[in-house]
Every structure is written in structure tokens, then in C-alpha cells.
């Protein structure tokens, strides 16, 4: 079953739509936190997966204005490009040093070079796709199997050195990504035996579907942990502040005004919020300064433990 009168199977179409949605979500996350480079590498991986699904789903189609040969070159190129990115992704995202050769040299020699030779040059000139499939996939298939083994060895070495086992979530993510890319070792066989599009898409995409769900679950868990840590920090800070206020003998009203003053509110703003006059605020603050033995707001904040040295030196609100 195809969609919109094209060659794309409905299953491929569903995967593409879902992956485009996830690309938008992950792009938003990356723009919110651009220092997270692992998210950037995953964005590229997701983008290549979408490109592969679209090109392999739509091509070849005689209805398009450009030649079948060009369409096949693009479609097979998307698969080779996707597979060639895997070692680089593991090398960068998980710091697997053992994959440096595969990431920068191996994929170029044993994947991209055979593709350019057999599919771009020979097939592009002769138009004989069977020849390209018969001889152009031998080296890539053998290397793909070896590449999956090399990635496995690098992951094993990572765990053995205890660099990845510090955080359980990182270990789960690393294993999940490897399981997701493992079926791609069969990509050359899919092309050689001309496996149906929907079977190929299911095998190569289901792992990434589960991986995306894992990433979403981890994002929710991470946000919850950060919120709990933030709340715990706020409670500890509040407890420290109130304890110091008690040590200086501040009244409940003086504690409240001291807190508002330390947060950066002006006398007028404090008066409005507490429904008192500015003169009354000024009187309370003079009493607070007297009890704590300070003359400036910054000194008060230091005495009450309201801000650390970085905040005091970088926030003009505290000066």
C-alpha cells in the first residue's frame, strides 16, 4: 500500500512523519541547550535516517523528472551515508576512543569509496544496477559486519574501564543505541536481494523508534530530578536564611521584609506587596540593619546567607 500515488509504502510514510516530529522536538531541546553536543550528533543521526527513509521510499519512480539512474544513486547513497555515520556518532557521543580509525578512515575506505566507485561511476555510466549490486556490496557488507563488531568491542572496553557505568542511564542509552543500529549490518543484503520496502523500513527503523521513546522517558526523568533538586536547594536555602534570621532576633515581619529586600525589591515595591507605607518599610529595614550589624544590603545578604560569592560579584541587583 503506497501513499499519494508515489512509491512510498504507508509504513515508511508513518515512520517519516513520526521522525520529523521527533526531529522538531529534539531540535527545540538542542536550541534550548546548545552546549549539549551529544544531542547535536543525535539530531544529525535522526536527519540522516529521515533522508534515507524518504529517498528509499520515493525512488526509483519513473514519474519524477530526473533519471532512474540518478534516483538510485541518491537512494543507495542515503543508506551508505547513514551507515558511514554510525562509528562517528558512537565516537563523539559516547567518547569511544577505539572507534577513531573507523570514524575518520574506515568508513571512507570500505563504505563510501566502494559506493562512489560502483554506484556513482560505474552504474552512473553504464546503467547496469545488477553489476553494482553484485560487486559493489561485497566489501561494504563485510565491513558493516566488522564495524558492528568493532563498536561492540569499544563499548565492552568502555564498560570494563568503568567510564560508562558511573551513570546507569548512560549505560542503558549506549546499549540501546547499539541495538538500534545493529540491524543496519544487513542493509547490504536487503539491497542485494531487493527486499520489500516495508520489511526493510521496519527492520531499520523499529530500533530507532524504541530509542526515541527511551530518550523521551529519560528527558522526563531528568526534568523531574532537576525539579526535585531545585526544590531541595530552595528549601535548604530558606531554612538557612530563617535560621540566621532567628540568630539575629528578627521578628516575623522583619524576616519577610529582609527576604524581599534580598531578592532585589525596592522600598516602594515592598510597601505595595506588604500593604504598608514606604516609611514603615524604611523603619523595619533600619531595625534589621541594626540587629544584624550591617549598613548595606549586600552585607545583609552575606550575613543572612542569601547569596553566594558569584551572585554577589556578578549580579548588579545585589550591588
Amino acid at each position: 500500500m503506497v501513499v499519494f500515488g508515489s512509491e512510498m509504502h504507508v509504513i515508511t510514510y508513518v515512520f517519516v512523519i513520526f521522525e520529523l516530529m521527533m526531529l522538531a522536538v529534539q531540535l527545540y531541546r538542542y536550541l534550548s541547550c546548545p552546549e549539549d553536543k551529544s544531542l547535536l550528533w543525535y539530531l544529525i543521526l535522526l536527519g540522516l535516517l529521515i533522508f534515507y527513509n524518504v529517498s528509499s521510499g520515493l525512488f526509483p519512480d519513473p514519474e519524477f523528472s530526473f533519471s532512474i539512474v540518478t534516483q538510485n544513486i541518491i537512494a543507495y547513497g542515503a543508506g551508505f551515508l547513514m551507515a558511514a555515520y554510525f562509528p562517528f556518532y558512537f565516537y563523539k557521543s559516547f567518547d569511544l576512543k577505539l572507534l577513531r580509525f573507523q570514524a575518520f578512515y574506515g568508513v571512507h575506505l570500505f563504505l563510501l569509496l566502494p559506493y562512489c566507485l560502483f554506484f556513482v561511476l560505474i552504474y552512473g555510466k553504464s546503467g547496469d544496477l545488477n553489476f553494482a549490486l553484485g560487486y559493489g556490496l561485497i566489501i561494504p557488507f563485510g565491513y558493516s559486519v566488522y564495524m558492528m563488531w568493532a563498536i561492540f568491542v569499544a563499548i565492552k572496553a568502555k564498560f570494563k574501564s568503568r567510564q560508562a557505568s558511573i551513570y546507569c542511564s548512560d549505560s542503558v542509552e549506549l546499549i540501546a543505541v547499539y541495538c538500534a543500529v545493529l540491524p543496519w549490518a544487513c542493509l547490504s543484503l536487503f539491497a542485494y536481494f531487493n527486499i520489500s520496502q516495508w520489511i526493510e523500513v521496519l527492520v531499520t527503523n523499529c530500533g530507532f523508534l524504541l530509542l526515541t521513546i527511551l530518550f523521551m522517558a529519560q528527558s522526563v526523568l531528568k526534568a523531574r530530578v532537576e525539579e526535585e533538586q531545585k526544590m531541595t536547594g530552595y528549601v535548604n536555602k530558606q531554612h538557612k536564611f530563617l535560621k540566621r534570621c532567628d540568630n539575629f532576633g528578627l521578628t516575623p515581619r522583619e524576616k519577610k521584609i529582609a527576604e524581599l529586600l534580598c531578592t532585589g525589591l525596592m522600598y516602594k515595591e515592598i510597601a505595595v506587596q506588604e500593604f504598608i507605607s514606604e516609611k514603615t518599610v524604611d523603619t523595619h529595614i533600619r531595625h534589621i540593619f541594626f540587629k544584624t550589624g550591617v549598613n548595606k544590603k549586600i552585607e545583609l545578604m552575606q550575613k543572612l546567607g542569601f547569596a553566594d560569592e558569584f551572585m554577589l560579584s556578578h549580579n548588579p541587583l545585589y550591588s
Side-chain angles (χ1 to χ4, degrees):
M1 182 184 300
V2 296
V3 294
F4 307 126
S6 67
E7 296 296 316
M8 181 178 289
H9 197 279
V10 64
I11 295 179
T12 306
Y13 176 74
V14 171
F15 272 110
V16 169
I17 294 299
F18 177 78
E19 287 157 2
L20 283 173
M21 293 170 57
M22 290 313 307
L23 182 68
V25 173
Q26 299 298 337
L27 180 59
Y28 174 79
R29 287 184 57 205
Y30 174 70
L31 293 177
S32 302
C33 186
E35 64 274 7
D36 187 358
K37 295 303 179 183
S38 62
L39 192 54
L40 173 62
W41 308 133
Y42 181 70
L43 271 173
I44 297 174
L45 182 67
L46 198 56
L48 289 174
L49 179 62
I50 294 172
F51 175 59
Y52 165 76
N53 285 334
V54 171
S55 58
S56 63
L58 293 178
F59 303 147
D61 189 341
E63 298 296 325
F64 286 105
S65 58
F66 50 102
S67 68
I68 296 295
V69 172
T70 302
Q71 293 180 44
N72 279 324
I73 290 176
I74 295 174
Y76 286 105
F80 275 92
L81 190 61
M82 180 74 180
Y85 181 69
F86 289 149
F88 181 83
Y89 175 74
F90 279 96
Y91 174 74
K92 282 292 188 179
S93 294
F94 302 104
D95 194 29
L96 301 183
K97 300 299 186 182
L98 293 180
L99 294 178
R100 179 176 175 79
F101 176 82
Q102 311 303 333
F104 293 101
Y105 304 104
V107 294
H108 294 86
L109 291 173
F110 304 113
L111 286 181
L112 299 182
L113 184 59
Y115 163 74
C116 292
L117 178 62
F118 286 94
F119 287 88
V120 178
L121 296 179
I122 297 179
Y123 171 61
K125 185 176 181 179
S126 66
D128 188 354
L129 182 60
N130 290 329
F131 179 84
L133 291 174
Y135 295 95
L137 294 178
I138 296 176
I139 294 177
F141 172 69
Y143 178 71
S144 296
V145 175
Y146 170 76
M147 182 176 66
M148 290 299 115
W149 171 252
I151 295 175
F152 173 77
V153 171
I155 293 175
K156 185 178 179 180
K158 184 83 170 180
F159 285 133
K160 191 174 182 179
S161 65
R162 298 183 179 275
Q163 295 178 10
S165 58
I166 298 176
Y167 300 104
C168 180
S169 60
D170 293 341
S171 303
V172 172
E173 179 181 339
L174 181 54
I175 296 173
V177 174
Y178 180 74
C179 293
V181 304
L182 192 59
W184 285 79
C186 303
L187 190 62
S188 299
L189 294 178
F190 293 155
Y192 181 81
F193 290 106
N194 196 25
I195 301 297
S196 298
Q197 180 187 144
W198 69 272
I199 297 178
E200 180 181 336
V201 169
L202 281 177
V203 172
T204 56
N205 282 260
C206 280
F208 285 96
L209 176 63
L210 297 176
L211 183 61
T212 302
I213 295 175
L214 173 64
F215 282 166
M216 292 175 61
Q218 285 185 333
S219 297
V220 173
L221 179 60
K222 183 178 180 181
R224 184 179 301 172
V225 171
E226 289 178 349
E227 185 64 27
E228 290 177 354
Q229 291 176 343
K230 186 184 298 184
M231 183 60 65
T232 301
Y234 172 78
V235 171
N236 292 337
K237 181 179 178 181
Q238 191 74 4
H239 176 73
K240 180 180 179 182
F241 172 79
L242 294 176
K243 185 176 181 180
R244 292 196 177 187
C245 287
D246 289 335
N247 291 339
F248 288 111
L250 300 186
T251 66
R253 173 54 68 94
E254 289 171 346
K255 292 178 185 178
K256 182 63 177 178
I257 292 179
E259 180 180 5
L260 295 175
L261 181 66
C262 290
T263 57
L265 294 186
M266 306 300 291
Y267 285 25
K268 183 177 181 180
E269 294 171 323
I270 297 175
V272 171
Q273 182 164 329
E274 293 298 302
F275 302 102
I276 56 179
S277 67
E278 286 187 56
K279 185 176 180 180
T280 304
V281 172
D282 181 70
T283 300
H284 282 303
I285 291 176
R286 281 191 286 109
H287 290 164
I288 294 170
F289 280 3
F290 175 77
K291 290 181 178 180
T292 55
V294 301
N295 295 312
K296 297 179 181 180
K297 180 171 66 176
I298 187 172
E299 295 175 354
L300 177 67
M301 295 173 66
Q302 291 173 326
K303 280 288 186 73
L304 299 182
F306 201 88
D308 57 29
E309 293 300 323
F310 179 85
M311 293 173 61
L312 292 174
S313 59
H314 290 75
N315 195 333
L317 193 64
Y318 299 152
S319 58

